[in-house]
């Protein structure tokens, strides 16, 4: 959850020993080589499709693939650059891989994810030997009673759960001055493109792990920007689906209105495969019953390199000429789209969303208190309510709150229940304004999508003063409306990735995937991180 929406109205001892705070930047001491020999990694940039082909040809097995990724986690995440993206390794992963290899040997292949290793954000329940903590020491030792439905779906699809990823604690809904990618349990996740810069959040570890080739794909969650921003800043593809396409049961909540999980991958095709696998009805999650009956989940089959031909694309004009480096990337992207037959139309969605920022914050506070209390009441955790979390942090301030406090938790605790008039009025406002703005602009201009920079270049990690988000916020409108958004690498500014965000109306995933894929194939902007200490 990005705090920029309600901090500056953009349409809006667990410190790791490797980090020393000095001024604005986080200076990185030597933990081994800052550079990484990418030529030595067998699976470098392998897609899901390539991994499947290698297994089908008996060149690799699920176990050998997993072992290679686990070795890389040790070398890159725990040692070497010390990214701290992975918060826990699944001790059962190798046994799972062996089982899937045995199935393949006997002629059973469950689908495109069979034997594919993935990482899961540590706010998603798994009924195994791993904890589910949202990065908080208050939940340390908590083991979920059951897999979240999306975890069960991925297991059934044959994917191998490698482990869990670090995140912004409580999905960045703790303090107005927090550092994205920091949690009291996992410390500070580093940006693999420049280790002194921030990975964004709250799905920080998931974004970094995919970018650094620590897994084949990862699952993140988003309330407002928590998939889109870290995907953009880490040079990968991320999709925030329509709220209701993916079950939220078993995910530590912020907002029943805005929360969703989604794939984080290195290619659009991989994201399409993963989203198909995790999309399903869930009787415990009412919005999943609202999906149109004719909505196809076979997203990968609908990808089309010619999808931009004749399409009218809205460009958010308030994000033109904001940052000279991003301006160059954006102009190049528009030229590439025009060359593929797209018609570019300037629009101003940001202007129509201005009035909803404060109301969104109110809704999130009310829903966070209600949702977290419901989750903790049924959890085998030492804390049973939001108040218990606040009390735990206060009693354990040295370890739980060494840099920033918990004013968002406290403000949420002070709110009433979901029958409060303030909540009902705020919810009605944000939904009507956000959905009306997106639907209205797309209808007025006959648009296939609205695009703009997903985020600006990354900022220096600063545990003292917190995040310094730039002036881009394409994720806010679809996040509040519950609509889909996908980001694709657009290029780099001084070596720091920037993504191009495509947004659409409810359940337009197939159309957005096709447009994003056509752009991806025309531009080929994905590049691997080089684990530098300073920008170029």
């Amino acid at each position: 959850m990005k705090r920029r929406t309600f901090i500056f109205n953009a349409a809006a001892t667990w410190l790791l020993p490797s980090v020393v705070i000095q001024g604005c930047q986080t200076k990185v001491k030597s933990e081994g080589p800052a550079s990484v020999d990418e030529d030595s990694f067998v699976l470098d940039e392998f897609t899901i499709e390539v991994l499947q082909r290698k297994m089908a040809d008996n060149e690799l097995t699920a176990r050998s693939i997993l072992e290679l990724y686990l070795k890389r986690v040790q070398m890159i995440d725990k040692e070497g650059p010390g990214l701290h993206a992975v918060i826990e390794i699944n001790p059962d992963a190798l046994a799972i891989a062996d089982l899937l290899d045995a199935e393949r040997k006997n002629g059973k292949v469950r689908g495109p994810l069979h034997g594919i290793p993935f990482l899961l954000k540590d706010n998603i329940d798994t009924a195994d030997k791993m904890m589910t903590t949202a990065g908080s020491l208050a939940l340390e030792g908590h083991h979920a009673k059951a897999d979240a439905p999306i975890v069960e779906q991925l297991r059934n699809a044959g994917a191998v759960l490698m482990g869990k990823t670090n995140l912004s604690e409580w999905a960045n809904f703790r303090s107005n001055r927090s550092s994205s990618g920091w949690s009291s349990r996992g410390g500070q996740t580093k940006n693999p493109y420049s280790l002194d810069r921030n990975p964004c959040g709250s799905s920080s570890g998931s974004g970094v792990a995919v970018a650094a080739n620590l897994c084949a794909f990862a699952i993140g969650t988003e309330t407002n920007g928590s998939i889109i921003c870290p995907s953009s800043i880490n040079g990968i593809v991320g999709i925030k689906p329509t709220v209701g396409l993916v079950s939220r049961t078993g995910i530590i909540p912020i907002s029943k209105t805005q929360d969703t999980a989604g794939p984080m991958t290195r290619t659009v095709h991989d994201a399409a495969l993963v989203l198909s696998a995790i999309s399903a009805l869930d009787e415990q999650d009412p919005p999943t019953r609202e999906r149109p009956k004719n909505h196809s989940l076979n997203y990968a089959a609908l990808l089309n390199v010619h999808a931009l031909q004749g399409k009218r694309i809205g460009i958010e004009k308030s994000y033109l000429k904001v940052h000279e480096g991003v301006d160059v990337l954006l102009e190049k992207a528009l030229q590439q789209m025009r060359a593929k037959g797209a018609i570019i139309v300037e629009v101003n969605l940001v202007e129509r969303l201005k009035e909803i920022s404060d109301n969104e914050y109110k809704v999130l506070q009310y829903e966070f208190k209600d949702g977290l209390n419901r989750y903790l009441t049924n959890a085998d955790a030492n804390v049973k309510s939001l108040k218990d979390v606040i009390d735990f942090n206060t009693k354990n301030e040295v370890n739980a709150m060494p840099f920033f406090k918990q004013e968002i938790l406290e403000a949420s605790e002070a709110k009433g229940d979901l029958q409060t008039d303030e909540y009902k009025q705020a919810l009605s406002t944000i939904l009507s304004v956000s959905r009306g703005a997106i639907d209205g602009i797309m209808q007025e201009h006959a648009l296939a999508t609205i695009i703009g920079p997903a985020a600006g270049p990354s900022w220096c990690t600063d545990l003292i003063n917190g995040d310094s988000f730039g002036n881009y916020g394409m994720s806010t409108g679809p996040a509040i409306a519950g609509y889909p958004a996908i980001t694709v690498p657009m290029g780099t500014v001084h070596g720091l990735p920037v993504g191009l965000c495509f947004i659409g109306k409810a359940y337009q995933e197939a159309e957005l995937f096709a447009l994003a894929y056509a752009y991806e194939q025309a531009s080929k902007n994905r590049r691997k991180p080089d684990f530098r200490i300073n920008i170029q």
Side-chain angles (χ1 to χ4, degrees), residues 308 331-341 519 522-523 525:
L308 288 165
E331 180 55 37
K332 182 178 179 181
L334 296 179
Q335 290 175 358
Q336 290 169 327
M337 290 185 178
R338 289 188 182 102
K340 292 297 179 179
Y519 169 69
S523 60
N525 288 318

Side-chain angles (χ1 to χ4, degrees), residues 18 116 426:
S18 62
I116 303 297

Side-chain angles (χ1 to χ4, degrees), residues 66 70 86 88-96 118-119 126 128-130 155 160-164:
L66 177 61
L70 290 174
V86 181
E88 190 169 2
I89 291 294
N90 183 5
D92 298 324
L94 288 170
I96 295 170
F118 75 101
L119 287 164
T126 56
D128 51 24
K129 296 170 186 174
M130 293 188 292
R155 292 191 200 272
V160 180
L161 177 53
M162 287 178 58
K164 292 194 173 181

Side-chain angles (χ1 to χ4, degrees), residues 448-500:
T449 183
I450 301 172
I451 64 171
S458 180
W459 56 93
C460 297
T461 293
D462 186 349
L463 290 164
I464 297 298
N465 297 304
D467 290 325
S468 301
F469 293 112
N471 293 320
Y472 301 103
M474 285 301 295
S475 63
T476 295
I480 297 173
Y483 287 0
I486 183 169
T487 181
V488 178
M490 185 168 60
T492 62
V493 176
H494 295 290
L496 301 172
V498 175
L500 183 66

Side-chain angles (χ1 to χ4, degrees), residues 304-373:
N304 180 5
V305 294
H306 303 296
L308 288 165
Q309 180 64 44
K311 296 297 191 304
R312 292 173 62 83
I313 309 295
I315 174 66
E316 175 54 52
K317 68 179 182 180
S318 66
Y319 295 151
L320 299 172
K321 301 190 183 305
V322 172
H323 183 290
E324 63 279 2
V326 178
D327 294 342
V328 172
L329 300 182
L330 192 54
E331 180 55 37
K332 182 178 179 181
L334 296 179
Q335 290 175 358
Q336 290 169 327
M337 290 185 178
R338 289 188 182 102
K340 292 297 179 179
I343 302 161
I344 307 300
V345 181
E346 290 189 10
V347 299
N348 197 340
L349 174 62
V350 170
E351 182 66 28
R352 300 194 190 189
L353 297 175
K354 280 186 176 179
E355 66 183 275
I356 62 177
S357 179
D358 290 341
N359 283 302
E360 183 203 12
Y361 186 32
K362 291 175 186 176
V363 169
L364 298 186
Q365 288 175 304
Y366 278 102
E367 293 188 346
F368 178 64
K369 178 182 179 180
D370 177 78
L372 186 62
N373 284 342

Side-chain angles (χ1 to χ4, degrees), residues 192-195 494-496 527 530-536:
Y193 291 86
S194 184
L195 301 178
H494 295 290
L496 301 172
R527 81 166 179 80
D530 47 15
F531 311 99
R532 290 174 288 110
I533 292 179
N534 295 300
I535 64 170
Q536 295 175 340

Side-chain angles (χ1 to χ4, degrees), residues 218-276:
I219 300 295
T221 65
E222 173 160 330
T223 305
N224 186 340
S226 284
I227 290 173
I228 296 300
C229 185
S231 295
S232 174
I233 278 179
N234 288 286
I236 62 172
V237 174
I239 179 164
K240 195 280 300 186
T242 302
V243 172
L245 188 62
V246 175
S247 167
R248 289 92 54 82
T249 301
I251 300 176
I252 297 176
I254 291 178
S255 166
K256 67 176 185 177
T257 300
Q258 295 179 205
D259 288 350
T260 185
M264 302 173 76
T265 64
R266 287 181 289 275
T267 68
V268 174
H269 185 263
D270 281 0
L273 292 174
V274 176
L275 186 60
S276 294

